[in-house]
Amino acid sequence: PSAADAAGPPSSPDADANAVREADSEAEAKAEAEAEVSAAASMPLLARIPPAIGTNLVVVQSDLHYLHVRTPRGSATLLGTISELESEMGDRGLRVHRSFWVALDHVRRVRRTAAGWHCVMSDQSKVPVSRRRLAAVKERLGVDFVRETSAAGE
């Protein structure tokens, strides 16, 4: 058999037209998705948080280009970077790890355990503090930091 025979029968003009239409619609769908992502990314980060969970951030964890945001009312995943969060939130929080940002109003204590340092948050979650960022945490909060009062808005 020749190479032409192995390729199968020639396609019909209708099949070729359908293939072109499918490719065009896939390209259009991809372009629309990219436009939505671009539009969302241009909005301020706090504006992208679902109103149902509010903007009273407790902790944010970064995962590539996504942010896992936690508030006292719930959590959500947003498109964004931790650097973008830091610049928008200013001194209201502190990056305590390559992947974690904490709201200072929600930090209840800073503790050292055998596993290392961590922040205990108002929701009782524990957020790791990296060795690299420990000095900044100690400078901002102190080594024996403990806040017994609850944060406003809880």
Side-chain angles (χ1 to χ4, degrees), residues 50-144:
I53 68 166
T55 58
N56 183 10
L57 301 180
V58 175
V59 64
V60 178
Q61 182 177 2
S62 173
D63 182 17
L64 298 176
H65 292 289
Y66 293 95
L67 297 175
H68 304 287
V69 177
R70 200 164 63 234
T71 74
R73 293 175 19 198
S75 61
T77 300
L78 312 171
L79 189 63
T81 64
I82 204 160
S83 297
E84 177 185 3
L85 172 75
E86 283 182 299
S87 65
E88 189 170 326
M89 296 303 290
D91 63 358
R92 291 180 279 178
L94 183 63
R95 191 166 177 175
V96 295
H97 188 280
R98 174 175 57 185
S99 302
F100 288 94
W101 177 93
V102 297
L104 294 176
D105 286 347
H106 287 279
V107 177
R108 293 295 166 255
R109 59 186 41 146
V110 177
R111 283 218 160 131
R112 183 178 187 175
T113 64
W117 289 87
H118 62 266
C119 293
V120 178
M121 305 304 292
S122 60
D123 62 1
Q124 300 308 307
S125 63
K126 294 178 179 143
V127 179
V129 176
S130 68
R131 289 185 305 237
R132 178 175 173 229
R133 299 194 185 266
L134 181 59
V137 172
K138 286 180 177 179
E139 180 180 317
R140 190 82 181 264
L141 297 173
V143 180
D144 298 318

Side-chain angles (χ1 to χ4, degrees), residues 15-62:
D16 288 344
N18 285 340
V20 168
R21 275 194 293 275
E22 284 180 24
D24 285 347
S25 67
E26 286 176 14
E28 286 174 17
K30 184 178 178 181
E32 286 176 17
E34 288 174 355
E36 286 177 18
V37 166
S38 178
S42 67
M43 290 174 57
L45 185 84
L46 290 178
R48 289 182 251 160
I49 297 174
I53 68 166
T55 58
N56 183 10
L57 301 180
V58 175
V59 64
V60 178
Q61 182 177 2
S62 173

